[in-house]
Amino acid sequence: MKRRRFTQTVSLEERLAGEAKRLREQAKALPHGPEREDLIRKARQAETGSHMSGWLRSPGLRPPE
């Protein structure tokens, strides 16, 4: 069975930022509690992933010598 491959049209950073925004909007609609905190934690993780991916792709990053 062949793997289906496709090219992403939106960068990883943009997808993660969009996911974080969506999760924060969802959390705003919920009352304070564990479910809301879980959504906020996931949003923070997505934002961190977006920043890390951007940092790793930056041209200023050099391998150790």
Side-chain angles (χ1 to χ4, degrees):
M1 184 177 208
K2 274 190 162 182
R3 285 178 63 184
R4 290 189 288 163
R5 296 177 187 254
F6 58 94
T7 305
Q8 294 289 341
T9 56
V10 180
S11 72
L12 176 62
E13 293 87 3
E14 291 177 52
R15 285 182 281 144
L16 286 171
E19 179 70 5
K21 183 178 179 180
R22 185 186 66 77
L23 288 168
R24 287 200 185 276
E25 291 298 319
Q26 246 185 315
K28 282 182 186 177
L30 294 174
H32 291 283
E35 192 175 345
R36 180 181 177 152
E37 294 303 318
D38 189 44
L39 287 176
I40 292 172
R41 181 181 51 79
K42 288 178 182 178
R44 247 186 277 123
Q45 287 176 342
E47 288 169 346
T48 301
S50 175
H51 293 304
M52 286 179 65
S53 180
W55 177 74
L56 289 170
R57 294 164 139 267
S58 72
L61 197 60
R62 301 276 188 259
E65 293 180 10

